[in-house]
Amino acid sequence: MGKQAETLHTIPPYEPKPGEEYMNPDQLAHFRKILENQRAELGQEIDRAVHVMQEESTIFADPADRATQESDMALELRSRDRERKLIKKIDEIFTKIDSGEYGYCEKCGVEIGLKRLEARPTASLCIDCKTLDEIRERQIAK
């Protein structure tokens, strides 16, 4: 399988060796590869969406058809905006990988953990800090 065909889901999980140091060069290279693939997929999706939106740009005489098209495009643009923000976050994570900060919680500094990073390579908080944030968000929302 070529590098182009490899996707986020085809990269096997990292298997640490006994006594292996957390966030060693092999682990960092593994997560960089996952993030590079994810970034490339997002870029391709954005390019595809722009192309589709340009092709489907039609002026409808019927107001209902025009409203449906505008609604579809607005939804598509919101999705692309989320993808653009994720690309920006991935770029920030590359900086963290280069500086040796990747894999550690931004709030408390503990190891985020390989399994959590495999599931969510963009995680910046340990599970405890993330859980506390979510509890606070729910309390504020009430």
Side-chain angles (χ1 to χ4, degrees), residues 39-92:
R39 189 182 192 293
E41 288 173 7
L42 290 167
Q44 289 171 356
E45 184 61 25
I46 289 171
D47 291 344
R48 182 208 57 81
V50 168
H51 183 70
V52 167
M53 285 174 34
Q54 288 172 342
E55 284 183 351
E56 292 180 356
S57 182
T58 307
I59 301 196
F60 291 105
D62 181 11
D65 289 339
R66 191 170 43 247
T68 299
Q69 181 188 34
E70 288 174 8
S71 176
D72 290 347
M73 285 203 176
L75 181 62
E76 190 74 28
L77 288 171
R78 281 195 302 272
S79 294
R80 300 301 74 86
D81 188 50
R82 279 194 304 273
E83 290 168 349
R84 184 188 54 77
K85 288 176 182 174
L86 184 53
I87 286 173
K88 184 179 178 200
K89 185 170 185 174
I90 289 171
D91 289 342
E92 291 168 358

Side-chain angles (χ1 to χ4, degrees), residues 137-142:
E137 286 174 17
R138 283 195 299 269
Q139 289 173 343
I140 291 171
K142 290 182 179 180

Side-chain angles (χ1 to χ4, degrees), residues 28-43:
L28 291 173
H30 171 78
F31 287 109
R32 179 181 289 278
K33 186 175 183 180
I34 289 173
L35 290 161
E36 285 171 347
N37 287 351
Q38 187 175 9
R39 189 182 192 293
E41 288 173 7
L42 290 167

